[in-house]
Amino acid sequence: MKNGWFTNWPLINSFIEGSEKMFKFNKVCLAVAATLFAGQVFAAPVTQSQIDNARGKGALNETWISGASAPTYNVFQGFAAGCDANTLAVFNNGSATAAAKPGSSAAGNFLAYACTRGGVTSVVYHTTDGGSFNAYAPHIPNDVDGDGVFGTTNLRRIGKLGSNAGCVAQTGTLSLPGQTAIPSYKSCAIVTPATAADGATVKPAGGFADVEAGLFGVSVEGYGVEANANVGQVFGIATSTALYRAMQVAQGIYASVAAANAADPDYLPANAPSISRAQYASIVSGTAADAGLLVPGSTAALSLARRVPTSGTQASSNATFLRNP
């Protein structure tokens, strides 16, 4: 699958040198990382007070991106690469006590990054809730979620930084090159700015997707532009350990589960069992009564876990196994 970036404005500069499909956005704080290196001698991480002060002076660079969760840490690193040394701070809606790395489950699906870039206070809100299609959903009318309502989607984000009283400092710090002690804040309040404006950006300017919009049955024509960021995304089917081992035996990869455990403790791809398109389609349709479809003779219950309809992973699965679209 292609991966990249989508925008409903002309591309001014790349935000990050390679991540997934990008929905390009305009201006503000996401210029090419290499263009801003103005470190400050007495630099310190940006605070909410500093953000509020910059906003009051009309000197705040601020934007919002949304979509796939897979490239979250890459996006964070890309933003950080353009920050003045030791000015970066991270905000999330998770509840972990310790500083949480963006992209981890502990950080949640709503984040924001802030720093100074060339001395200018800059903020990017980052929403990964719902997955890839939410790079497009705020801009392209759709009913991808299947709720019968056709229209654009009002996404949520971290509430306006500068006055988000919910944010609480986590213990410890994160680090990146040029950012030796990055403070992280948890429990930040979430808002839906399209219906309850809070004074920060109302709509995402663009976002990242694991797959192109066409796999969700919509077109970006007339709404924006997709750009390939030249980074591949690998998809696969996950199973329980018991089913994985049983399939290895059933497919003759190993003589027994005990042999598989001994010879393949790291679950190497070269030793992985396979599943056919027809088998998966039977599981999805509900015609497979039990695991006997995959392990002949088995009567064990077979349960299928799927992602939300707006997930790029789910869209890729639909296209690969179900030929949909």
Side-chain angles (χ1 to χ4, degrees), residues 1-236:
M1 296 298 173
K2 294 182 179 178
N3 302 284
W5 168 255
F6 179 69
T7 182
N8 63 340
W9 283 293
L11 179 64
I12 299 302
N13 270 316
S14 297
F15 168 38
I16 178 172
E17 298 179 32
S19 191
E20 306 199 334
K21 183 166 287 297
M22 299 181 289
F23 182 25
K24 304 170 193 169
F25 53 89
N26 72 335
K27 56 184 180 180
V28 294
C29 60
L30 303 182
V32 174
T35 63
L36 296 174
F37 289 103
Q40 299 176 12
V41 176
F42 299 106
V46 164
T47 64
Q48 286 211 67
S49 177
Q50 187 176 345
I51 294 169
D52 187 52
N53 184 56
R55 181 181 284 110
K57 294 179 178 178
L60 178 67
N61 278 345
E62 186 175 47
T63 196
W64 179 12
I65 57 176
S66 56
S69 59
T72 299
Y73 193 64
N74 301 69
V75 173
F76 170 58
Q77 288 177 302
F79 178 78
C83 293
D84 298 331
N86 300 319
T87 64
L88 181 61
V90 183
F91 303 82
N92 66 66
N93 78 308
S95 58
T97 300
K101 174 182 173 181
S104 68
S105 59
N109 296 324
F110 301 92
L111 302 112
Y113 322 123
C115 70
T116 62
R117 301 166 71 89
V120 178
T121 303
S122 303
V123 174
V124 57
Y125 299 93
H126 190 187
T127 296
T128 63
D129 189 52
S132 289
F133 188 66
N134 281 340
Y136 309 104
H139 313 279
I140 304 174
N142 69 90
D143 185 27
V144 170
D145 61 6
D147 65 0
V149 179
F150 188 83
T152 56
T153 305
N154 296 328
L155 300 184
R156 296 180 294 162
R157 61 159 166 76
I158 292 282
K160 181 178 73 173
L161 292 184
S163 58
N164 195 319
C167 299
V168 178
Q170 294 174 291
T171 60
T173 57
L174 305 172
S175 64
L176 285 172
Q179 307 291 334
T180 56
I182 306 167
S184 182
Y185 299 85
K186 66 173 183 175
S187 303
C188 295
I190 306 302
V191 299
T192 306
T195 57
D198 63 354
T201 182
V202 174
K203 192 175 186 177
F208 293 82
D210 295 328
V211 298
E212 52 271 83
L215 287 187
F216 293 104
V218 300
S219 171
V220 302
E221 186 175 355
Y223 298 100
V225 179
E226 286 181 308
N228 197 326
N230 301 309
V231 172
Q233 178 72 21
V234 178
F235 295 97

Side-chain angles (χ1 to χ4, degrees), residues 267-289:
Y267 301 90
L268 297 178
N271 304 321
S274 61
I275 181 173
S276 70
R277 182 177 292 113
Q279 286 175 318
Y280 185 81
S282 294
I283 295 170
V284 172
S285 68
T287 58

